[in-house]
Coordinates of all heavy atoms in Angstrom, one line a residue:
V1 N 2.5 25.5 -4.2 CA 1.8 24.8 -3.1 C 0.4 24.7 -3.5 O -0.2 23.6 -3.3 CB 2.0 25.7 -1.8 CG1 1.1 25.1 -0.7 CG2 3.5 25.7 -1.4
M2 N -0.2 25.8 -4.0 CA -1.6 25.7 -4.4 C -1.9 24.6 -5.5 O -2.9 23.9 -5.4 CB -2.1 27.1 -4.9 CG -2.2 28.1 -3.8 SD -3.3 27.6 -2.5 CE -4.9 27.8 -3.3
T3 N -1.0 24.6 -6.5 CA -1.1 23.6 -7.5 C -1.1 22.2 -7.0 O -1.9 21.3 -7.4 CB 0.0 23.8 -8.6 OG1 -0.1 25.1 -9.0 CG2 -0.2 22.8 -9.7
V4 N -0.2 21.9 -6.1 CA -0.1 20.6 -5.4 C -1.4 20.3 -4.6 O -1.9 19.2 -4.7 CB 1.1 20.5 -4.5 CG1 1.1 19.2 -3.7 CG2 2.4 20.6 -5.3
M5 N -1.9 21.3 -3.9 CA -3.1 21.1 -3.2 C -4.3 20.7 -4.1 O -5.1 19.8 -3.8 CB -3.5 22.3 -2.3 CG -2.5 22.6 -1.2 SD -2.7 21.5 0.2 CE -4.2 22.1 0.8
I6 N -4.4 21.5 -5.2 CA -5.5 21.2 -6.1 C -5.4 19.8 -6.7 O -6.4 19.1 -6.9 CB -5.5 22.3 -7.2 CG1 -6.0 23.6 -6.6 CG2 -6.4 21.9 -8.4 CD1 -5.8 24.8 -7.6
M7 N -4.2 19.4 -7.1 CA -4.0 18.1 -7.6 C -4.3 17.0 -6.6 O -4.9 16.0 -7.0 CB -2.5 17.9 -8.1 CG -2.2 18.8 -9.4 SD -0.5 18.6 -9.9 CE -0.4 16.9 -10.4
L8 N -3.9 17.2 -5.4 CA -4.3 16.2 -4.3 C -5.8 16.1 -4.2 O -6.3 15.0 -4.1 CB -3.6 16.6 -3.0 CG -2.1 16.4 -2.9 CD1 -1.6 16.9 -1.6 CD2 -1.8 14.9 -3.0
F9 N -6.5 17.2 -4.1 CA -7.9 17.2 -4.0 C -8.6 16.5 -5.2 O -9.6 15.8 -5.1 CB -8.5 18.6 -3.7 CG -8.3 19.0 -2.3 CD1 -7.7 20.3 -2.0 CD2 -8.6 18.2 -1.2 CE1 -7.5 20.7 -0.8 CE2 -8.4 18.7 0.1 CZ -7.8 19.9 0.3
Y10 N -8.1 16.8 -6.3 CA -8.7 16.3 -7.6 C -8.5 14.7 -7.6 O -9.5 14.0 -7.9 CB -8.0 16.9 -8.8 CG -8.5 16.3 -10.1 CD1 -9.7 16.7 -10.6 CD2 -7.7 15.3 -10.8 CE1 -10.1 16.1 -11.8 CE2 -8.2 14.8 -11.9 CZ -9.4 15.2 -12.5 OH -9.9 14.6 -13.6
H11 N -7.4 14.2 -7.2 CA -7.2 12.8 -7.2 C -7.8 12.1 -6.0 O -8.1 10.9 -6.1 CB -5.7 12.4 -7.3 CG -5.1 12.8 -8.6 ND1 -5.4 12.1 -9.8 CD2 -4.2 13.8 -9.0 CE1 -4.8 12.7 -10.8 NE2 -4.0 13.7 -10.3
K12 N -8.1 12.8 -5.0 CA -8.7 12.2 -3.8 C -10.2 12.2 -3.8 O -10.8 11.5 -3.1 CB -8.2 13.1 -2.5 CG -8.7 12.5 -1.2 CD -7.5 12.0 -0.5 CE -7.9 11.6 0.9 NZ -7.4 10.3 1.2
Q13 N -10.8 13.0 -4.7 CA -12.3 13.0 -4.8 C -12.9 11.6 -5.1 O -12.3 10.8 -5.7 CB -12.8 14.0 -5.8 CG -12.7 13.6 -7.2 CD -13.1 14.7 -8.2 OE1 -13.3 15.8 -7.8 NE2 -13.3 14.4 -9.4
Q14 N -14.0 11.4 -4.5 CA -14.7 10.1 -4.6 C -15.2 9.8 -6.0 O -15.7 10.7 -6.6 CB -15.8 10.0 -3.6 CG -15.4 10.1 -2.2 CD -16.6 10.1 -1.2 OE1 -17.7 10.2 -1.6 NE2 -16.3 9.9 0.0
K15 N -15.0 8.6 -6.4 CA -15.6 8.1 -7.7 C -17.0 7.6 -7.3 O -17.2 7.0 -6.3 CB -14.8 7.1 -8.3 CG -13.3 7.5 -8.5 CD -13.2 8.6 -9.6 CE -11.8 8.9 -9.8 NZ -11.5 10.2 -10.4
G16 N -17.9 7.8 -8.2 CA -19.3 7.3 -8.0 C -20.3 8.4 -8.0 O -19.9 9.5 -8.3
R17 N -21.5 8.1 -7.7 CA -22.6 9.0 -7.8 C -23.5 8.9 -6.6 O -23.6 7.9 -6.0 CB -23.4 8.8 -9.1 CG -22.6 9.1 -10.3 CD -23.4 8.9 -11.5 NE -22.6 9.0 -12.7 CZ -22.7 10.0 -13.6 NH1 -23.7 10.9 -13.5 NH2 -21.9 10.0 -14.6
I18 N -24.2 10.0 -6.3 CA -25.1 10.1 -5.2 C -26.5 10.1 -5.9 O -26.7 10.9 -6.8 CB -24.9 11.3 -4.3 CG1 -23.5 11.1 -3.7 CG2 -26.0 11.4 -3.3 CD1 -23.1 12.3 -2.8
Y19 N -27.4 9.3 -5.4 CA -28.8 9.2 -5.9 C -29.7 9.4 -4.7 O -29.4 9.1 -3.6 CB -29.1 7.9 -6.5 CG -28.3 7.6 -7.8 CD1 -27.2 6.8 -7.7 CD2 -28.7 8.1 -9.0 CE1 -26.4 6.6 -8.9 CE2 -28.0 7.8 -10.1 CZ -26.9 7.0 -10.1 OH -26.2 6.8 -11.2
I20 N -30.9 9.9 -5.0 CA -32.0 10.0 -4.1 C -33.0 8.9 -4.6 O -33.5 9.0 -5.7 CB -32.7 11.3 -4.0 CG1 -31.7 12.4 -3.6 CG2 -33.9 11.3 -3.1 CD1 -31.3 12.3 -2.1
A21 N -33.3 7.9 -3.7 CA -34.3 6.9 -4.0 C -35.6 7.3 -3.3 O -35.6 7.5 -2.1 CB -33.8 5.5 -3.6
V22 N -36.7 7.4 -4.0 CA -38.0 7.7 -3.4 C -38.8 6.5 -3.6 O -39.1 6.0 -4.7 CB -38.7 8.9 -4.1 CG1 -40.0 9.2 -3.5 CG2 -37.8 10.1 -4.1
I23 N -39.2 5.9 -2.4 CA -39.9 4.6 -2.4 C -41.2 4.8 -1.7 O -41.3 5.4 -0.6 CB -39.0 3.6 -1.6 CG1 -37.6 3.5 -2.2 CG2 -39.7 2.2 -1.5 CD1 -36.5 3.5 -1.2
H24 N -42.3 4.3 -2.4 CA -43.6 4.3 -1.8 C -44.0 2.8 -1.4 O -43.8 1.9 -2.3 CB -44.7 4.8 -2.8 CG -44.5 6.2 -3.2 ND1 -43.8 6.7 -4.3 CD2 -44.9 7.3 -2.5 CE1 -43.8 8.0 -4.3 NE2 -44.4 8.4 -3.2
Y25 N -44.4 2.7 -0.2 CA -44.7 1.3 0.3 C -45.8 1.4 1.4 O -46.2 2.4 1.9 CB -43.5 0.6 0.8 CG -42.9 1.3 2.0 CD1 -43.2 0.9 3.3 CD2 -41.9 2.2 1.9 CE1 -42.7 1.5 4.4 CE2 -41.3 2.8 2.9 CZ -41.7 2.5 4.2 OH -41.1 3.1 5.3
T26 N -46.3 0.2 1.7 CA -47.3 0.0 2.8 C -46.7 -1.0 3.8 O -46.1 -1.9 3.4 CB -48.6 -0.5 2.3 OG1 -48.5 -1.7 1.6 CG2 -49.3 0.5 1.3
G27 N -47.0 -0.7 5.1 CA -46.6 -1.6 6.1 C -45.2 -1.3 6.7 O -44.3 -0.9 6.0
D28 N -45.1 -1.4 8.0 CA -43.8 -1.1 8.7 C -42.8 -2.1 8.4 O -41.6 -1.8 8.3 CB -44.1 -1.1 10.3 CG -44.9 0.1 10.7 OD1 -44.9 1.1 10.0 OD2 -45.6 0.0 11.7
E29 N -43.1 -3.4 8.3 CA -42.2 -4.4 8.0 C -41.5 -4.2 6.6 O -40.4 -4.5 6.4 CB -42.8 -5.8 8.0 CG -41.8 -6.9 7.9 CD -42.5 -8.3 8.1 OE1 -43.4 -8.4 9.0 OE2 -42.1 -9.2 7.4
T30 N -42.3 -3.7 5.7 CA -41.8 -3.4 4.3 C -40.7 -2.3 4.4 O -39.7 -2.5 3.7 CB -42.9 -2.9 3.4 OG1 -44.0 -3.9 3.4 CG2 -42.4 -2.7 2.0
G31 N -40.9 -1.3 5.2 CA -39.8 -0.3 5.4 C -38.5 -0.9 5.9 O -37.4 -0.5 5.5
D32 N -38.6 -1.8 6.9 CA -37.5 -2.5 7.4 C -36.8 -3.3 6.3 O -35.5 -3.3 6.3 CB -37.8 -3.4 8.6 CG -38.4 -2.6 9.8 OD1 -38.0 -1.4 9.9 OD2 -39.1 -3.2 10.6
N33 N -37.6 -4.0 5.5 CA -37.0 -4.8 4.4 C -36.3 -3.9 3.4 O -35.3 -4.3 2.8 CB -38.1 -5.6 3.7 CG -38.6 -6.7 4.6 OD1 -37.9 -7.2 5.6 ND2 -39.8 -7.2 4.4
V34 N -36.8 -2.7 3.1 CA -36.2 -1.8 2.2 C -34.8 -1.4 2.7 O -33.8 -1.4 2.0 CB -37.1 -0.5 2.0 CG1 -36.3 0.5 1.3 CG2 -38.3 -0.9 1.2
I35 N -34.7 -1.1 4.0 CA -33.4 -0.7 4.6 C -32.5 -1.9 4.6 O -31.3 -1.7 4.2 CB -33.6 -0.2 6.0 CG1 -34.5 1.1 6.0 CG2 -32.3 0.1 6.7 CD1 -33.8 2.3 5.3
R36 N -33.0 -3.1 4.9 CA -32.1 -4.2 4.8 C -31.6 -4.5 3.4 O -30.5 -5.0 3.2 CB -32.9 -5.5 5.3 CG -32.7 -5.6 6.8 CD -33.3 -7.0 7.2 NE -34.2 -6.7 8.4 CZ -35.5 -6.9 8.3 NH1 -36.1 -7.4 7.3 NH2 -36.2 -6.6 9.4
S37 N -32.4 -4.2 2.4 CA -32.0 -4.5 1.0 C -30.8 -3.6 0.6 O -30.1 -4.0 -0.4 CB -33.2 -4.4 0.1 OG -33.5 -3.0 -0.1
L38 N -30.6 -2.5 1.2 CA -29.5 -1.6 0.9 C -28.2 -2.2 1.3 O -27.1 -1.8 0.8 CB -29.7 -0.2 1.5 CG -30.9 0.5 1.0 CD1 -31.1 1.8 1.8 CD2 -30.7 0.9 -0.5
G39 N -28.2 -3.2 2.3 CA -27.0 -3.9 2.7 C -26.0 -3.0 3.3 O -26.2 -2.1 4.1
K40 N -24.8 -3.1 2.7 CA -23.6 -2.3 3.2 C -23.4 -1.1 2.5 O -22.3 -0.4 2.6 CB -22.4 -3.2 3.2 CG -22.4 -4.4 4.2 CD -21.2 -5.2 4.2 CE -21.3 -6.3 5.2 NZ -20.0 -7.1 5.3
M41 N -24.3 -0.7 1.6 CA -24.2 0.6 0.9 C -24.2 1.7 1.8 O -24.9 1.7 2.9 CB -25.3 0.7 -0.1 CG -25.3 -0.3 -1.2 SD -26.6 -0.1 -2.4 CE -26.1 1.4 -3.2
K42 N -23.6 2.8 1.5 CA -23.6 4.0 2.3 C -24.9 4.7 1.9 O -25.2 5.1 0.8 CB -22.4 4.9 1.9 CG -22.3 6.1 2.8 CD -21.1 6.9 2.4 CE -21.0 8.2 3.2 NZ -19.8 9.0 2.9
Y43 N -25.8 4.9 2.9 CA -27.1 5.6 2.7 C -27.5 6.4 3.9 O -27.0 6.2 5.0 CB -28.2 4.5 2.4 CG -28.5 3.7 3.6 CD1 -29.6 4.1 4.5 CD2 -27.9 2.5 3.9 CE1 -29.9 3.3 5.6 CE2 -28.2 1.7 5.0 CZ -29.2 2.1 5.8 OH -29.5 1.4 6.9
F44 N -28.4 7.4 3.7 CA -29.0 8.2 4.7 C -30.5 8.4 4.4 O -30.8 8.7 3.3 CB -28.3 9.6 4.7 CG -26.9 9.6 5.0 CD1 -26.0 9.7 3.9 CD2 -26.3 9.4 6.3 CE1 -24.6 9.7 4.1 CE2 -25.0 9.4 6.5 CZ -24.1 9.5 5.4
V45 N -31.3 8.1 5.4 CA -32.7 8.4 5.2 C -32.9 9.9 5.3 O -32.6 10.5 6.3 CB -33.6 7.6 6.3 CG1 -35.0 8.0 6.1 CG2 -33.4 6.1 6.1
K46 N -33.4 10.5 4.2 CA -33.6 11.9 4.2 C -35.0 12.4 4.7 O -35.1 13.4 5.4 CB -33.4 12.5 2.8 CG -32.0 12.2 2.2 CD -31.0 12.9 3.1 CE -30.4 14.1 2.4 NZ -29.4 14.8 3.1
S47 N -36.0 11.6 4.4 CA -37.3 11.9 4.8 C -38.2 10.7 4.8 O -37.9 9.7 4.1 CB -38.0 13.0 4.0 OG -38.3 12.5 2.7
K48 N -39.3 10.7 5.6 CA -40.2 9.6 5.7 C -41.6 10.2 6.0 O -41.8 10.9 7.0 CB -39.8 8.6 6.8 CG -40.5 7.3 6.8 CD -39.9 6.4 7.8 CE -40.6 5.1 7.8 NZ -40.0 4.2 8.7
T49 N -42.5 10.1 5.1 CA -43.8 10.7 5.2 C -44.9 9.5 5.2 O -44.9 8.7 4.3 CB -44.1 11.6 4.0 OG1 -43.1 12.6 4.0 CG2 -45.5 12.3 4.2
V50 N -45.8 9.6 6.2 CA -46.8 8.5 6.3 C -48.2 9.2 6.1 O -48.5 10.2 6.8 CB -46.8 7.8 7.7 CG1 -47.8 6.8 7.8 CG2 -45.4 7.3 8.0
R51 N -48.9 8.6 5.2 CA -50.3 9.1 4.9 C -51.2 7.9 4.8 O -51.2 7.1 3.9 CB -50.3 9.9 3.5 CG -49.5 11.1 3.5 CD -49.7 11.8 2.1 NE -48.7 12.8 1.9 CZ -47.7 12.7 1.1 NH1 -47.5 11.6 0.4 NH2 -46.8 13.6 1.1
K52 N -52.1 7.8 5.8 CA -53.2 6.8 5.7 C -52.7 5.4 5.4 O -53.2 4.8 4.5 CB -54.3 7.2 4.8 CG -55.0 8.5 5.2 CD -56.1 8.8 4.3 CE -56.8 10.1 4.7 NZ -57.9 10.5 3.8
G53 N -51.6 5.0 6.1 CA -51.1 3.6 5.9 C -50.1 3.5 4.8 O -49.5 2.5 4.6
K54 N -50.0 4.5 3.9 CA -48.9 4.5 2.9 C -47.8 5.4 3.3 O -48.0 6.4 3.9 CB -49.5 5.0 1.5 CG -50.6 4.0 1.0 CD -51.0 4.5 -0.4 CE -52.0 3.5 -0.9 NZ -52.3 3.7 -2.3
T55 N -46.6 4.9 3.0 CA -45.4 5.6 3.4 C -44.5 6.0 2.2 O -44.4 5.2 1.2 CB -44.5 4.8 4.3 OG1 -45.4 4.4 5.4 CG2 -43.3 5.5 4.9
E56 N -44.0 7.2 2.2 CA -43.0 7.6 1.2 C -41.7 7.9 1.9 O -41.6 8.6 2.9 CB -43.5 8.9 0.5 CG -42.4 9.5 -0.5 CD -42.8 10.8 -1.1 OE1 -43.6 10.8 -2.1 OE2 -42.4 11.8 -0.5
M57 N -40.6 7.2 1.5 CA -39.3 7.4 2.1 C -38.3 7.8 1.0 O -38.3 7.2 -0.1 CB -38.9 6.1 2.7 CG -37.5 6.2 3.4 SD -37.1 4.8 4.5 CE -37.4 3.4 3.5
A58 N -37.6 8.9 1.4 CA -36.5 9.3 0.5 C -35.2 9.0 1.1 O -34.9 9.3 2.3 CB -36.6 10.8 0.3
V59 N -34.3 8.3 0.4 CA -33.1 7.8 0.9 C -32.0 8.3 0.0 O -32.0 8.1 -1.3 CB -33.0 6.3 1.0 CG1 -31.7 5.8 1.5 CG2 -34.2 5.7 1.7
E60 N -30.9 8.9 0.5 CA -29.7 9.3 -0.2 C -28.8 8.1 -0.3 O -28.4 7.6 0.8 CB -29.1 10.5 0.4 CG -27.9 11.0 -0.3 CD -27.2 12.2 0.4 OE1 -27.9 13.3 0.4 OE2 -26.1 12.1 0.9
V61 N -28.4 7.7 -1.5 CA -27.6 6.4 -1.6 C -26.4 6.8 -2.4 O -26.4 7.4 -3.4 CB -28.4 5.4 -2.4 CG1 -27.6 4.1 -2.5 CG2 -29.7 5.1 -1.7
Y62 N -25.2 6.3 -1.9 CA -24.0 6.5 -2.6 C -23.6 5.2 -3.3 O -23.5 4.2 -2.7 CB -22.9 6.9 -1.6 CG -21.5 7.0 -2.2 CD1 -21.2 8.1 -3.1 CD2 -20.5 6.0 -2.1 CE1 -20.0 8.2 -3.7 CE2 -19.3 6.1 -2.7 CZ -19.0 7.2 -3.5 OH -17.8 7.3 -4.1
C63 N -23.4 5.3 -4.7 CA -23.1 4.2 -5.5 C -21.7 4.4 -6.0 O -21.4 5.3 -6.8 CB -24.0 4.0 -6.7 SG -25.7 3.7 -6.2
K64 N -20.8 3.5 -5.6 CA -19.4 3.6 -6.1 C -19.2 3.3 -7.6 O -18.5 4.0 -8.3 CB -18.5 2.6 -5.3 CG -18.3 3.0 -3.9 CD -17.3 2.1 -3.2 CE -17.1 2.5 -1.7 NZ -16.2 1.6 -1.0
N65 N -19.8 2.3 -8.0 CA -19.6 1.9 -9.4 C -20.8 2.3 -10.3 O -21.0 1.7 -11.4 CB -19.5 0.3 -9.5 CG -18.3 -0.1 -8.7 OD1 -17.3 0.6 -8.6 ND2 -18.4 -1.3 -8.1
N66 N -21.6 3.2 -9.9 CA -22.8 3.6 -10.7 C -23.7 2.4 -11.0 O -24.4 2.4 -12.0 CB -22.4 4.3 -12.0 CG -21.6 5.6 -11.7 OD1 -21.9 6.3 -10.7 ND2 -20.8 6.0 -12.6
D67 N -23.7 1.4 -10.1 CA -24.5 0.2 -10.3 C -25.8 0.4 -9.5 O -25.7 0.6 -8.3 CB -23.7 -1.0 -9.8 CG -24.4 -2.3 -10.2 OD1 -25.4 -2.2 -10.9 OD2 -23.9 -3.3 -9.8
T68 N -26.9 0.4 -10.2 CA -28.2 0.6 -9.5 C -29.0 -0.7 -9.3 O -30.2 -0.6 -9.3 CB -29.0 1.7 -10.3 OG1 -29.2 1.2 -11.6 CG2 -28.3 3.0 -10.3
F69 N -28.3 -1.8 -9.1 CA -29.0 -3.1 -8.9 C -29.9 -3.1 -7.7 O -30.9 -3.8 -7.7 CB -27.9 -4.2 -8.8 CG -27.2 -4.1 -7.5 CD1 -27.6 -4.8 -6.4 CD2 -26.0 -3.3 -7.4 CE1 -26.9 -4.7 -5.2 CE2 -25.3 -3.3 -6.2 CZ -25.8 -4.0 -5.1
F70 N -29.6 -2.3 -6.7 CA -30.3 -2.2 -5.5 C -31.8 -1.8 -5.7 O -32.7 -2.2 -5.0 CB -29.7 -1.3 -4.4 CG -29.7 0.1 -4.8 CD1 -30.7 0.9 -4.4 CD2 -28.7 0.7 -5.6 CE1 -30.8 2.3 -4.7 CE2 -28.7 2.0 -5.9 CZ -29.7 2.8 -5.5
L71 N -32.0 -1.0 -6.7 CA -33.4 -0.6 -7.0 C -34.3 -1.7 -7.4 O -35.4 -1.8 -7.0 CB -33.4 0.5 -8.1 CG -34.7 1.3 -8.2 CD1 -35.0 2.1 -7.0 CD2 -34.6 2.3 -9.4
D72 N -33.7 -2.7 -8.2 CA -34.5 -3.9 -8.6 C -34.8 -4.7 -7.4 O -35.9 -5.2 -7.2 CB -33.7 -4.7 -9.6 CG -33.6 -4.0 -10.9 OD1 -34.5 -3.2 -11.3 OD2 -32.6 -4.2 -11.6
K73 N -33.9 -4.8 -6.4 CA -34.2 -5.6 -5.2 C -35.3 -4.9 -4.4 O -36.1 -5.6 -3.8 CB -32.9 -5.7 -4.4 CG -31.8 -6.6 -4.9 CD -30.5 -6.6 -4.2 CE -30.6 -6.6 -2.7 NZ -29.3 -6.7 -2.1
I74 N -35.2 -3.6 -4.3 CA -36.3 -2.9 -3.6 C -37.6 -3.0 -4.2 O -38.6 -3.3 -3.5 CB -35.9 -1.4 -3.4 CG1 -34.7 -1.2 -2.5 CG2 -37.1 -0.5 -2.9 CD1 -34.1 0.2 -2.5
R75 N -37.7 -2.9 -5.5 CA -38.9 -3.0 -6.3 C -39.6 -4.4 -6.1 O -40.8 -4.5 -6.1 CB -38.7 -2.7 -7.7 CG -39.9 -2.6 -8.5 CD -39.7 -2.4 -10.0 NE -39.0 -3.6 -10.5 CZ -38.1 -3.6 -11.4 NH1 -37.6 -2.5 -11.9 NH2 -37.6 -4.8 -11.8
D76 N -38.8 -5.4 -5.9 CA -39.3 -6.8 -5.8 C -39.8 -7.1 -4.4 O -40.4 -8.2 -4.1 CB -38.2 -7.8 -6.2 CG -37.9 -7.7 -7.7 OD1 -38.8 -7.2 -8.4 OD2 -36.8 -8.2 -8.0
I77 N -39.6 -6.2 -3.4 CA -40.0 -6.5 -2.0 C -41.6 -6.3 -2.0 O -42.1 -5.4 -2.5 CB -39.4 -5.5 -1.0 CG1 -37.9 -5.7 -1.0 CG2 -40.0 -5.6 0.3 CD1 -37.1 -4.6 -0.2
E78 N -42.2 -7.3 -1.3 CA -43.7 -7.3 -1.2 C -44.1 -6.1 -0.4 O -43.5 -5.8 0.7 CB -44.2 -8.5 -0.5 CG -45.7 -8.7 -0.5 CD -46.1 -10.0 0.1 OE1 -45.4 -11.0 0.0 OE2 -47.3 -10.0 0.6
G79 N -45.0 -5.3 -0.9 CA -45.5 -4.1 -0.2 C -45.0 -2.8 -0.8 O -45.5 -1.7 -0.6
V80 N -43.9 -2.9 -1.6 CA -43.4 -1.7 -2.3 C -44.2 -1.5 -3.6 O -44.4 -2.3 -4.4 CB -41.9 -1.9 -2.7 CG1 -41.4 -0.8 -3.6 CG2 -41.0 -2.1 -1.5
E81 N -44.8 -0.3 -3.6 CA -45.6 0.1 -4.8 C -44.8 0.6 -5.9 O -45.0 0.2 -7.1 CB -46.7 1.2 -4.3 CG -47.6 0.6 -3.3 CD -48.6 1.7 -2.8 OE1 -48.5 2.8 -3.3 OE2 -49.4 1.4 -2.0
D82 N -43.8 1.5 -5.7 CA -43.0 2.0 -6.7 C -41.7 2.5 -6.1 O -41.7 2.8 -4.9 CB -43.7 3.0 -7.6 CG -44.1 4.2 -6.8 OD1 -43.2 5.0 -6.4 OD2 -45.3 4.4 -6.7
A83 N -40.7 2.7 -6.9 CA -39.4 3.2 -6.5 C -38.8 4.1 -7.6 O -38.8 3.6 -8.8 CB -38.4 2.1 -6.1
T84 N -38.4 5.3 -7.3 CA -37.8 6.2 -8.3 C -36.4 6.5 -7.8 O -36.1 6.8 -6.7 CB -38.7 7.5 -8.3 OG1 -40.0 7.1 -8.6 CG2 -38.2 8.4 -9.4
L85 N -35.5 6.6 -8.8 CA -34.1 6.9 -8.5 C -33.8 8.2 -9.3 O -34.0 8.4 -10.5 CB -33.2 5.8 -9.0 CG -31.8 5.8 -8.5 CD1 -31.8 5.7 -7.0 CD2 -31.0 4.7 -9.2
I86 N -33.2 9.2 -8.5 CA -32.9 10.5 -9.0 C -31.5 10.8 -8.7 O -31.0 10.7 -7.6 CB -33.8 11.6 -8.4 CG1 -35.3 11.3 -8.6 CG2 -33.5 13.0 -9.0 CD1 -36.2 12.0 -7.7
Q87 N -30.7 11.2 -9.8 CA -29.3 11.6 -9.5 C -29.2 12.9 -8.7 O -30.0 13.8 -9.1 CB -28.5 11.7 -10.8 CG -27.0 11.9 -10.6 CD -26.2 12.0 -11.8 OE1 -26.7 11.7 -12.9 NE2 -25.0 12.4 -11.7
Y88 N -28.4 13.0 -7.7 CA -28.3 14.1 -6.9 C -26.9 14.7 -6.9 O -26.0 14.0 -6.6 CB -28.7 13.7 -5.4 CG -28.7 14.8 -4.4 CD1 -29.6 15.9 -4.5 CD2 -27.8 14.8 -3.4 CE1 -29.6 16.9 -3.5 CE2 -27.8 15.8 -2.4 CZ -28.7 16.8 -2.5 OH -28.7 17.8 -1.6
N89 N -26.8 16.0 -7.2 CA -25.5 16.6 -7.2 C -25.3 17.6 -6.2 O -24.4 18.4 -6.2 CB -25.2 17.2 -8.6 CG -26.2 18.3 -9.0 OD1 -27.1 18.6 -8.2 ND2 -26.0 18.8 -10.2
G90 N -26.3 17.7 -5.2 CA -26.2 18.7 -4.1 C -27.0 19.9 -4.4 O -27.1 20.7 -3.5
E91 N -27.4 20.2 -5.6 CA -28.2 21.3 -5.9 C -29.7 21.0 -6.0 O -30.1 19.9 -6.5 CB -27.8 21.9 -7.2 CG -26.4 22.5 -7.2 CD -26.0 23.1 -8.5 OE1 -26.9 23.4 -9.3 OE2 -24.8 23.2 -8.8
Y92 N -30.5 21.8 -5.5 CA -32.0 21.6 -5.5 C -32.7 22.9 -5.9 O -32.4 23.9 -5.2 CB -32.5 21.0 -4.2 CG -34.0 20.9 -4.2 CD1 -34.6 19.8 -4.9 CD2 -34.8 21.7 -3.6 CE1 -35.9 19.6 -5.0 CE2 -36.2 21.6 -3.6 CZ -36.8 20.5 -4.3 OH -38.1 20.4 -4.3
H93 N -33.4 22.9 -6.9 CA -34.2 24.1 -7.3 C -35.6 23.7 -7.3 O -36.0 22.8 -8.1 CB -33.8 24.6 -8.7 CG -32.3 24.9 -8.8 ND1 -31.8 26.1 -8.3 CD2 -31.3 24.2 -9.3 CE1 -30.5 26.1 -8.5 NE2 -30.2 25.0 -9.1
G94 N -36.5 24.4 -6.5 CA -37.9 24.0 -6.5 C -38.7 24.8 -5.7 O -38.7 25.7 -5.1

């Protein structure tokens, strides 16, 4: 029974990777455009820090095919200063 359960969980696990995207931008409308650019991807806003008109947003993004095309779309949005993508495996040491 245990072997069958392990095999089921192994084959049921999700394919793909989870990334943390850290985006620096200015303006409220830019933040809305960043969220819109993610489209139908599965994402969660993890944090948002505002300092003197500049905003840093950290977004957890699930990519099924390990395709990071969305980062180029975000980088091309007017008002976005930079975007960093970090692979996230659930562990954080810091």
